[in-house]
Amino acid sequence: MSETPTERAEAARVRRRLLNLGEVVALLAVVISGLTFWNSYRERTNAEAQHAEESAQSAKKATLMILKATPDKEGRTLTLAPRAEEQAIQSQTIRFPSKLGLSPAETSSDTRIEKNWFESALVSARKAANAEDSPGDARLPVLIETHYLADGDPHVDLAIYEIGYATSHSFLGGTDIHMRGLSRTEAVANSNAGQKKIDALWATRMAPKK
């Protein structure tokens, strides 16, 4: 039985609707695929940015030199070492306030501070400033230049530290210095600027007391 013109027209309309529905489904598939790709791209980009930031922070942390000091029982020597395990000190130069009239102390693998490098000059300066009987621990500003390796790469750190020390007195032995530890104050751009800063700190600390 042949189709009537009305039936043929209706069948054509159904086919057009099916084609339109197929186009919509295809378009939705393209949109969903695009959104999935965008989300994946954004997650990957965010992960890469986070990884780069973490790597930069780790590198900065690895190259920041913070010294720790371990005094011996008598307070005669401070043994110096980096706090970060990735660092290895190669050499150091310790500079003292100019008023003490001391030459810089140089060390290599055995990095340390010894009180006999500055004790006599420090005791004389404290006596001149009438500071011999000041209570509590005192502080001596120093400039420390450290050449070190961080993950195998060479670096230089220039910073002001303060040596914490106490004094004791005896009738025959005079004044004795006992080193307690070391604290970092600030980094400096160059040795001239650092020297001026420790000289200013020293002048303030050793201002003659009335």
Side-chain angles (χ1 to χ4, degrees):
M1 182 177 179
S2 61
E3 294 180 335
T4 65
T6 302
E7 290 173 336
R8 285 196 297 272
E10 180 62 26
R13 285 195 294 270
V14 169
R15 286 194 297 271
R16 285 196 296 271
R17 284 197 298 270
L18 290 175
L19 288 174
N20 289 338
L21 180 60
E23 291 173 353
V24 171
V25 171
L27 179 61
L28 287 175
V30 171
V31 171
I32 291 172
S33 176
L35 290 174
T36 302
F37 174 79
W38 170 250
N39 288 335
S40 176
Y41 171 77
R42 185 173 60 181
E43 290 176 359
R44 184 172 66 252
T45 302
N46 291 340
E48 290 174 353
Q50 183 177 357
H51 178 71
E53 182 179 356
E54 291 174 352
S55 298
Q57 291 176 350
S58 297
K60 182 178 180 181
K61 182 178 179 181
T63 56
L64 177 62
M65 167 58 66
I66 303 293
L67 294 171
K68 61 179 178 180
T70 305
D72 61 5
K73 292 182 179 180
E74 293 78 20
R76 296 177 180 174
T77 303
L78 293 177
T79 300
L80 305 182
R83 291 189 180 276
E85 294 180 356
E86 301 85 358
Q87 298 171 343
I89 297 175
Q90 303 299 293
S91 64
Q92 286 185 317
T93 301
I94 297 94
R95 295 179 173 87
F96 303 94
S98 300
K99 290 292 185 180
L100 294 181
L102 299 169
S103 299
E106 305 276 352
T107 64
S108 54
S109 57
D110 185 16
T111 51
R112 67 201 185 279
I113 297 175
E114 297 182 7
K115 74 169 187 176
N116 60 15
W117 295 346
F118 60 84
E119 182 177 39
S120 178
L122 177 59
V123 169
S124 297
R126 288 177 60 86
K127 183 177 181 180
N130 296 321
E132 291 180 293
D133 298 322
S134 299
D137 289 350
R139 291 175 292 172
L140 170 64
V142 293
L143 178 63
I144 301 181
E145 179 179 338
T146 304
H147 293 256
Y148 65 101
L149 300 178
D151 290 330
D153 296 324
H155 298 273
V156 179
D157 179 72
L158 192 62
I160 294 173
Y161 282 82
E162 295 201 86
I163 300 171
Y165 67 92
T167 59
S168 63
H169 309 278
S170 66
F171 178 73
L172 295 178
T175 301
D176 193 21
I177 300 295
H178 307 271
M179 291 190 293
R180 303 291 198 195
L182 189 72
S183 61
R184 182 183 172 106
T185 300
E186 62 177 306
V188 292
N190 54 67
S191 56
N192 288 335
Q195 189 67 53
K196 290 179 180 178
K197 288 193 174 185
I198 65 172
D199 287 347
L201 283 171
W202 177 253
T204 300
R205 302 268 169 78
M206 290 293 105
K209 295 178 175 56
K210 298 180 180 180

